[in-house]
Structure formats: structure tokens, C-alpha cells
């Protein structure tokens, strides 16, 4: 039942190419932000050198490659999943705001918790200096036996839950209440 | 918000207690008047630290690393060979590896092993061999017994002397002190590579970044 509801809601949103494009752009942007946030000091160093844009791109692609190198395909895939789900969730929120003119509820905003989780589970190009370290997780992701999957998997769950509540809200707004 | 948080953890800024530490160790931070401010740090490389390269080299590359860190291994495999070819072998820079052994007791044992190898002039033979045969973090590949087995493969190393040195833990304090020096310089993860010299100060690069990043910083410092 809820799967059909989500499917219908997604079909309503992504029937318009604008939302497909925005979803792809937001997903790509989120992935970029996850990598950038964890490699920011190097990014600043490279900016300070007045280097070419190519080198800045190289820092980002290297940051992505480092997740695969040190944390494995599972974490890398989960971060991509969080990025894609973030793009879909944010597009759905935009659709809800524009079409139904309804306010965004607290449950819908839960998705942003998932986005934060994606950022925290992204690895840096160095041992320990992840975003997780700033909140007192000494050793960064190194202390987690699953290298950060402990954070990214619940994030995926939160984003799915958020998509469910947005879908529910969208479907309910399309019919008269008794 | 991500950017702000990332900026604070990335190692560009020293920790908040850095000023106090700087007074103790004569570490000085300078800011350069650039569009994007780049901070340089001034510090003295310990005189006893072994180096790779010509003594007449004008610039230094100082890596703070942990022998168990996979990103240090990546730096060793993918960046160091280029630095060696372009800058160390050509007499332009000297390379130093200093301990920042923070990933557990096995890291400390590996760090102590390096100094035991140094007693026999084999510091970088040991360094290169360990990074070429690195295991997974804290999986038991670097217990004292395993380190002795690793060391047995280093050419012309007197294993009896090495084993006795490692058992005595005579370099335990030194490894901790070097890790402490790294902390004073703002190192919070590994690898962090400082590039420069005493006059110009050092610019740090955090992480196993592409070789081109290191090349640009070295060239900037040399210009």
C-alpha cells in the first residue's frame, strides 16, 4: 500500500522534466558537498595557489576515489545512495511547496537529518580528519568497525522515511478529506 | 554550514590551544596577504631526524604519518615516487618522515621499530618496507612479534639488535614526543605534509592528495 502510494507520488513529481533535472543536479551537488566538506582545507590550499580549475576538480575526484580506496565499495555506494535520495527528497519538497502550497512539516524535514548523516559518513583523504571528528569522535571514522556505514545506512533509512511522509502528504492533499 | 565545519576540521586552522603550545615550542604562524589566505607555520625539524635527499637541498618536505594509516600508504605508493624523482633525486628537497602514531598501540610499536632500525642506519628501508606491506588498521598485523617478523625481511638488518631494541621500548617516549610535536603544529590526522624551509615557513597539505597539489605547493615555495 505504502509502496504504491510512494510510486504514485514519485510519478506525480517526476512527470515534469524540471524535477528530474533538479533532482539530478541536487544529487550531484550533494555528493560534491559531501566530498568538499571533508577535504576543505586542501581545497582552500589549492585556491590559495591560484591554480587551474582542473586541479580543484582533481582534489574532488581524488576525495571520492579515496573513499573507495580506504573505506570500500559499500561505503562509497551508500554515500552515492544518500546523495541520490537527498536529490529526490529535496525535489519532492520543492514540488510540495510549489504545487500544494502547503507548509513543510517536521516529518518531511527529517530528510535533512539523513543528509547530515551522509556528510558525516563521508571520508576525508586523511586518517581521522573527517567531519565526524569535529564532534569529538577522536579518530574519525577509523573507530567505527564498518568505517562509517554505521552512519550512512541509518541516513538512507531516514531519507526513505522522509520520502514516505512527503508522498503521504502529497497524496492526501490531492483528495477531499471527510 | 558544511563548509564552515569542514574548514575548522581540515587542519588549515591550528587548534584553539595552539597559541599556548606555540609559545612552548617556538612554533610561529604567519599569514600571507593573498586573495585566499594561506597560513605558514615555522618550526625546527628535530636535528636527529633522518632524511632522504641531498644535505644541500634548500627546501624540506616533512610528512607526519602513521604506519597503519591507509592514506599514508597511498601517499607512499602514489605520490612519494614522483616527489623522489622530481625533487629529491634532483637535489632540490630533503624528505623527512616523522611519527604521528595515533591509531593505536600497534602504530606506536611500528613507530618505535623505525627508530630501532635507525640505530642501524635503516630508518627509510624500514619505512619503505612497512608501507609496502601494510595490513588493515589494528587487525593484529603489527604486534611486536609481527613487527620483528617484518623487520627480518629488511636487508642487512641485525635482527638480534633490532628485537632487543624493540623489546626495551627505548624509543617509546621519542615516538610520543614526535606525535606531540605534530599536535602542536595543528596535525589532527595523517598524512599531513609540511613543505618549505626555516626562512619561508611551511605550508601544509592535508591528506593523500593528487601529486599535482604537492607539486604546485613545492613550486610556489621555491619561487
Amino acid at each position: 500500500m505504502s509502496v504504491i502510494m510512494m510510486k504514485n507520488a514519485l510519478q506525480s513529481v517526476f512527470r515534469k522534466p524540471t524535477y528530474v533535472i533538479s533532482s539530478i543536479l541536487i544529487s550531484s551537488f550533494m555528493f560534491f558537498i559531501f566530498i568538499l566538506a571533508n577535504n576543505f582545507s586542501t581545497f582552500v590550499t589549492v585556491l590559495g595557489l591560484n591554480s587551474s580549475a582542473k586541479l580543484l576538480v582533481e582534489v574532488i575526484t581524488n576525495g571520492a576515489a579515496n573513499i573507495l580506496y580506504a573505506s570500500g565499495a559499500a561505503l562509497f555506494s551508500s554515500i552515492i545512495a544518500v546523495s541520490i535520495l537527498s536529490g529526490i527528497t529535496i525535489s519532492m519538497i520543492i514540488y510540495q511547496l510549489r504545487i500544494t502550497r502547503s507548509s513543510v512539516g517536521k516529518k518531511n524535514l527529517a530528510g535533512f537529518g539523513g543528509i547530515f548523516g551522509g556528510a558525516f559518513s563521508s571520508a576525508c583523504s586523511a586518517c581521522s580528519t573527517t567531519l565526524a571528528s569535529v564532534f569529538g569522535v577522536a579518530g574519525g571514522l577509523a573507530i567505527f568497525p564498518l568505517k562509517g556505514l554505521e552512519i550512512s545506512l541509518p541516513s538512507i533509512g531516514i531519507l526513505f522515511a522522509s520520502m514516505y511522509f512527503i508522498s503521504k502528504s502529497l497524496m492526501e492533499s490531492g483528495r477531499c478529506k471527510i | 554550514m558544511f563548509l564552515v565545519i569542514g574548514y575548522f576540521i581540515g587542519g588549515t586552522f591550528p587548534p584553539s590551544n595552539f597559541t599556548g603550545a606555540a609559545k612552548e615550542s617556538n612554533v610561529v604562524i604567519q599569514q600571507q596577504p593573498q586573495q585566499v589566505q594561506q597560513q605558514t607555520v615555522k618550526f625546527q625539524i628535530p636535528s636527529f631526524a633522518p632524511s632522504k635527499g641531498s644535505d644541500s637541498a634548500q627546501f624540506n618536505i616533512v610528512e607526519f604519518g602513521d604506519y597503519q594509516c591507509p592514506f599514508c600508504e597511498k601517499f607512499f605508493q602514489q605520490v612519494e615516487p614522483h616527489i623522489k624523482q622530481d625533487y629529491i633525486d634532483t637535489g632540490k628537497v630533503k624528505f623527512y618522515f616523522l611519527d604521528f602514531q595515533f591509531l593505536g598501540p600497534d602504530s606506536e610499536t611500528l613507530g618505535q621499530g623505525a627508530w630501532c632500525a635507525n640505530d642501524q642506519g635503516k630508518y627509510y628501508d624500514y619505512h619503505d618496507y612497512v608501507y609496502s606491506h601494510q595490513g588493515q588498521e589494528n587487525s593484529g598485523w603489527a604486534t611486536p612479534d609481527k613487527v620483528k617478523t617484518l623487520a627480518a625481511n629488511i636487508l642487512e638488518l641485525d635482527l638480534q639488535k633490532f628485537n632487543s631494541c624493540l623489546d626495551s621500548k627505548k624509543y617509546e617516549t621519542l615516538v610520543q614526543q614526535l606525535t606531540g610535536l605534530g599536535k602542536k603544529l595543528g596535525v589532527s590526522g595523517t598524512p599531513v605534509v609540511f613543505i618549505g624551509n626555516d626562512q619561508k615557513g611551511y605550508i601544509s597539505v592535508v591528506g593523500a592528495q593528487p601529486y599535482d597539489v604537492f607539486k604546485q605547493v613545492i613550486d610556489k615555495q621555491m619561487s
Side-chain angles (χ1 to χ4, degrees):
Chain A
M1 176 69 182
S2 55
V3 174
I4 295 166
M5 183 186 68
M6 279 179 76
K7 190 182 162 192
N8 289 339
L10 286 169
Q11 278 175 345
S12 305
V13 176
F14 294 108
R15 202 168 40 214
K16 290 187 177 181
T18 317
Y19 289 97
V20 177
I21 294 165
S22 73
S23 185
I24 292 167
L25 290 177
I26 293 166
S27 298
S28 308
F29 181 71
M30 291 316 298
F31 187 73
F32 170 79
I33 290 293
F34 292 161
I35 305 299
L36 178 65
N38 286 289
N39 291 278
F40 198 68
S41 69
T42 303
F43 207 77
V44 170
T45 302
V46 173
L47 274 177
L49 295 168
N50 298 320
S51 312
S52 62
K54 184 175 163 269
L55 193 58
L56 292 171
V57 172
E58 220 176 306
V59 170
I60 295 299
T61 50
N62 179 68
N66 277 333
I67 298 175
L68 197 60
Y69 183 83
S71 304
L75 182 68
F76 188 73
S77 308
S78 73
I79 291 166
I80 288 176
V82 172
S83 306
I84 293 170
L85 291 173
S86 300
I88 294 172
T89 307
I90 293 170
S91 293
M92 287 177 86
I93 291 172
I94 295 168
Y95 177 86
Q96 189 184 19
L97 288 170
R98 290 184 67 183
I99 304 298
T100 69
R101 307 278 175 199
S102 63
S103 61
V104 180
K106 283 180 187 171
K107 283 180 182 173
N108 301 358
L109 286 175
F112 288 100
I115 295 170
F116 271 99
F120 282 107
S121 57
S122 306
C124 176
S125 302
C127 289
S128 169
T129 55
T130 57
L131 208 50
S133 311
V134 82
F135 285 99
V137 184
L141 297 178
I143 63 151
F144 295 110
L146 300 176
K147 303 269 180 82
L149 270 176
E150 295 90 340
I151 306 172
S152 63
L153 290 181
S155 298
I156 291 171
I158 291 168
L159 284 164
F160 265 117
S162 180
M163 280 168 64
Y164 168 78
F165 288 120
I166 296 168
S167 302
K168 197 176 166 191
S169 171
L170 278 174
M171 292 296 104
E172 281 174 357
S173 65
R175 66 165 190 259
C176 298
K177 287 180 182 173
I178 300 167
Chain B
M1 179 165 176
F2 287 120
L3 304 187
V4 173
I5 295 170
Y7 199 72
F8 278 98
I9 64 158
T12 305
F13 282 163
S16 55
N17 62 352
F18 190 88
T19 313
K23 280 176 187 166
E24 289 165 24
S25 63
N26 294 323
V27 175
V28 180
I29 303 161
Q30 291 183 336
Q31 288 187 352
Q32 295 177 343
Q34 288 188 334
Q35 196 178 4
V36 176
Q37 283 187 341
Q38 213 162 49
Q39 295 195 331
T40 56
V41 179
K42 284 197 170 183
F43 66 96
Q44 293 285 322
I45 299 169
S47 56
F48 54 82
S51 64
K52 274 185 187 178
S54 165
D55 284 340
S56 60
Q58 300 287 305
F59 289 88
N60 303 314
I61 295 176
V62 185
E63 179 195 356
F64 279 89
D66 184 304
Y67 282 112
Q68 288 203 93
C69 171
F71 295 108
C72 299
E73 187 259 350
K74 189 181 177 189
F75 175 83
F76 170 76
Q77 298 284 2
Q78 297 181 10
V79 178
E80 230 183 276
H82 293 289
I83 291 177
K84 185 177 182 301
Q85 188 186 319
D86 295 347
Y87 296 100
I88 300 172
D89 292 348
T90 53
K92 293 174 183 168
V93 304
K94 267 198 289 187
F95 176 84
Y96 293 86
F97 177 88
L98 297 180
D99 293 291
F100 194 82
Q101 310 296 345
F102 74 112
L103 287 172
D106 287 354
S107 293
E108 289 189 15
T109 305
L110 285 162
Q112 290 166 35
W115 291 102
C116 289
N118 186 53
D119 284 349
Q120 300 178 47
K122 299 278 177 191
Y123 185 86
Y124 284 104
D125 296 81
Y126 175 95
H127 165 273
D128 295 355
Y129 188 83
V130 169
Y131 275 128
S132 303
H133 296 83
Q134 191 188 59
Q136 209 174 358
E137 282 164 48
N138 299 316
S139 61
W141 71 278
T143 58
D145 285 342
K146 295 275 173 65
V147 171
K148 288 172 191 170
T149 311
L150 280 172
N153 296 306
I154 296 168
L155 208 63
E156 294 174 14
L157 185 82
D158 184 331
L159 204 58
Q160 207 172 0
K161 279 185 188 167
F162 178 87
N163 292 352
S164 134
C165 168
L166 197 65
D167 289 337
S168 72
K169 291 184 179 273
K170 68 190 255 198
Y171 290 116
E172 188 177 28
T173 312
L174 176 64
V175 169
Q176 287 166 357
Q177 282 173 343
L178 287 169
T179 304
L181 171 66
K183 283 179 183 166
K184 282 177 185 172
L185 295 172
V187 175
S188 60
T190 54
V192 172
V193 178
F194 290 92
I195 299 162
N197 60 21
D198 293 350
Q199 290 77 43
K200 280 201 159 187
Y202 290 86
I203 294 176
S204 65
V205 177
V206 179
Q209 302 298 343
Y211 170 63
D212 282 348
V213 172
F214 293 96
K215 184 175 165 44
Q216 294 250 357
V217 176
I218 298 167
D219 291 345
K220 178 194 156 52
Q221 286 288 64
M222 285 180 165
S223 64

